[in-house]
């Protein structure tokens, strides 16, 4: 669903850019509350994983493919504010380095693919978790449904943006029907990937999943026919710092290797069919004013390394570079936010101490 330059006119693109900038600014503040010493490294990895899986287009209908958007996955794993930032980092890397998604349309893409998917998915996820049994399986089920709905929601938002600022005169009704129809199918793939990933992490480290916090229900005892809260169990001794660090490092390394394998090797076998937006744009004629990408001359344009003629090697190397750049950029941003939170907390504590004195 990467919108290229030329689909949306300049005023609406600029307005979407303002919305995206505001949302990113709010997310930067909100992410400082979500990130801690455990989740800050995971957030950079989530961004890299989304980049890798977005290279894996899967067939959804005759001549059409789809790929992960990632908003639901990011929001559930690391929180909604951090999730917006994760997907935004991916979109920025794709637009600047790989000529995927227009640069003037970056605000449109962030509004559609980062903000819409994350907000819709997380709100639905939290609502489902409240009514479903407090079990790990419920987290997986809620992840599936939230991811499924988030993709056609993004298709609806794109249609609305195009209705306001589209550069071609086409039937919005036909565009809406085609966009929503194909993206419901893509949403199924999104839901499967999201549920499998969230379920895998919850199975081994539920403490690292933002959406699984508070999952354990209080133990009840039956006394005289009534259910009462059981006495709190003695707190377990915290794991040694070295053991916790090794555990976090193992998860991080496993995730990074998985991302590199997906982007560097598995991506070669991805569907070559156009994705949902490309297919609809071609069939309905809304791509007639598409502009050449400003990064078309990038050495990594179109997910290949310039001057490397072997398609497998070129695409695989580009994928590996993309994962590396994304994890470095994402980790840098999230560690900086984490340090800012620590500094703010220290300043607040010092101020409180002075007030007390």
């Amino acid at each position: 669903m990467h919108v290229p330059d030329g689909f949306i006119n300049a005023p609406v693109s600029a307005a979407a850019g303002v919305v995206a900038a505001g949302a990113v600014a709010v997310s930067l503040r909100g992410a400082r509350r979500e990130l801690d010493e455990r989740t800050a490294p995971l957030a950079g990895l989530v961004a890299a994983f989304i980049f890798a899986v977005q290279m894996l287009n899967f067939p959804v209908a005759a001549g059409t493919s789809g790929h992960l958007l990632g908003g639901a996955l990011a929001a559930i794993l690391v929180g909604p504010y951090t999730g917006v930032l994760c997907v935004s980092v991916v979109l920025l890397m794709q637009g600047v380095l790989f000529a995927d998604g227009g640069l003037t349309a970056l605000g449109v893409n962030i509004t559609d693919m980062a903000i819409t998917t994350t907000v819709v998915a997380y709100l639905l996820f939290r609502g489902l978790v409240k009514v479903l049994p407090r079990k790990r399986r419920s987290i997986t089920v809620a992840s599936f449904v939230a991811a499924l709905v988030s993709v056609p929601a993004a298709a609806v938002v794109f249609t609305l943006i195009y209705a306001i600022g589209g550069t071609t005169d086409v039937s919005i009704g036909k565009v809406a029907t085609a966009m929503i129809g194909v993206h419901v199918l893509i949403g199924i793939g999104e839901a499967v990937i999201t549920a499998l990933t969230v379920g895998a992490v919850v199975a081994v480290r539920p403490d690292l999943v933002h959406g699984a916090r508070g999952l354990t229900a209080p133990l009840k005892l039956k006394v005289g026919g009534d259910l009462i809260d059981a006495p709190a169990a003695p707190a377990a001794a915290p794991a040694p710092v070295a053991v916790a660090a090794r555990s976090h490092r193992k998860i991080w390394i496993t995730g990074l290797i998985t991302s590199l394998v997906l982007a560097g090797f598995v991506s070669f076998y991805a569907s070559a069919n156009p994705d949902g937006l490309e297919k609809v744009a071609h069939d309905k004629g809304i791509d007639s004013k598409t502009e050449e990408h400003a990064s078309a001359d990038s050495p990594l344009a179109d997910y290949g390394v310039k001057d490397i003629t072997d398609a497998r090697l070129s695409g695989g190397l580009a994928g590996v570079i993309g994962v590396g750049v994304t994890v470095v950029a994402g980790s840098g941003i999230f560690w900086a936010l984490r340090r800012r939170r620590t500094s703010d907390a220290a300043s607040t504590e010092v101020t409180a101490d002075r007030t007390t004195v």
Side-chain angles (χ1 to χ4, degrees):
M1 198 180 289
H2 294 75
V3 179
D5 295 322
F7 271 30
I8 309 298
N9 64 34
V12 174
S13 294
V18 172
V19 171
V24 168
V26 171
S27 297
L28 286 170
R29 293 182 63 85
R32 286 158 55 186
R33 298 191 298 271
E34 294 173 343
L35 295 169
D36 55 30
E37 65 279 357
R38 297 174 304 166
T39 55
L42 180 63
L45 179 61
V46 167
F49 182 77
I50 290 173
F51 175 91
V53 180
Q54 283 197 4
M55 294 183 66
L56 308 180
N57 281 47
F58 48 84
V60 295
T64 310
S65 69
H67 61 70
L68 181 80
L69 298 186
L73 177 62
I76 295 166
L77 287 179
V78 293
Y81 295 108
T82 308
V84 169
L85 298 178
C86 284
V87 181
S88 296
V89 168
V90 173
L91 293 172
L92 181 61
M93 295 299 103
Q94 291 170 332
V96 172
L97 298 179
F98 297 90
D100 189 10
L103 295 184
T104 63
L106 182 61
V108 173
N109 285 319
I110 290 176
T111 299
D112 195 27
M113 296 177 64
I115 301 169
T116 299
T117 58
T118 300
V119 171
V120 170
Y122 194 73
L123 289 176
L124 182 54
F125 173 83
R126 295 308 307 175
L128 290 171
V129 167
K130 288 181 179 179
V131 299
L132 291 173
R134 299 174 68 85
K135 298 179 180 180
R136 291 182 180 180
R137 183 177 300 175
S138 297
I139 298 295
T140 304
V141 172
S143 300
F144 183 95
V145 176
L148 174 63
V149 174
S150 70
V151 177
V156 170
V157 170
F158 167 78
T159 304
L160 292 175
I161 293 174
Y162 195 84
I164 298 170
T167 54
T168 56
D169 185 16
V170 298
S171 170
I172 298 302
K174 292 182 179 179
V175 172
T177 301
M179 283 290 294
I180 296 171
V182 72
H183 283 91
V184 167
L185 299 177
I186 294 173
I188 296 173
E190 177 105 8
V192 170
I193 295 170
T194 301
L196 289 176
T197 305
V198 171
V201 180
V202 166
V204 296
R205 288 296 302 272
D207 59 305
L208 293 181
V209 179
H210 185 276
R213 293 177 181 177
L215 176 64
T216 305
L219 181 64
K220 298 285 186 179
L221 294 179
K222 191 171 185 179
V223 179
D226 297 323
L227 290 176
I228 63 172
D229 291 338
V241 175
V243 173
R246 285 197 297 271
S247 177
H248 297 163
R249 191 178 302 116
K250 183 177 180 180
I251 292 289
W252 197 89
I253 292 174
T254 300
L256 180 60
I257 291 174
T258 301
S259 300
L260 291 171
V261 170
L262 291 175
F265 176 74
V266 181
S267 62
F268 181 77
Y269 301 98
S271 172
N273 291 330
D275 66 22
L277 176 58
E278 291 174 326
K279 178 66 173 175
V280 172
H282 177 74
D283 290 348
K284 304 303 179 184
I286 66 177
D287 61 351
S288 60
K289 295 187 178 180
T290 302
E291 300 174 2
E292 183 178 13
H293 200 286
S295 297
D297 294 331
S298 167
L300 298 172
D302 298 323
Y303 297 94
V305 178
K306 189 176 182 180
D307 297 330
I308 295 182
T309 56
D310 184 277
R312 185 189 298 269
L313 178 61
S314 177
L317 185 56
V320 168
I321 293 172
V323 168
V325 171
T326 303
V327 76
V328 169
S331 298
I333 292 171
F334 298 127
W335 270 115
L337 290 173
R338 169 59 186 157
R339 289 174 61 87
R340 179 70 179 273
R341 172 183 172 179
T342 303
S343 299
D344 289 349
S347 299
T348 302
E349 187 174 323
V350 170
T351 302
D353 289 342
R354 289 176 178 172
T355 302
T356 302
V357 173

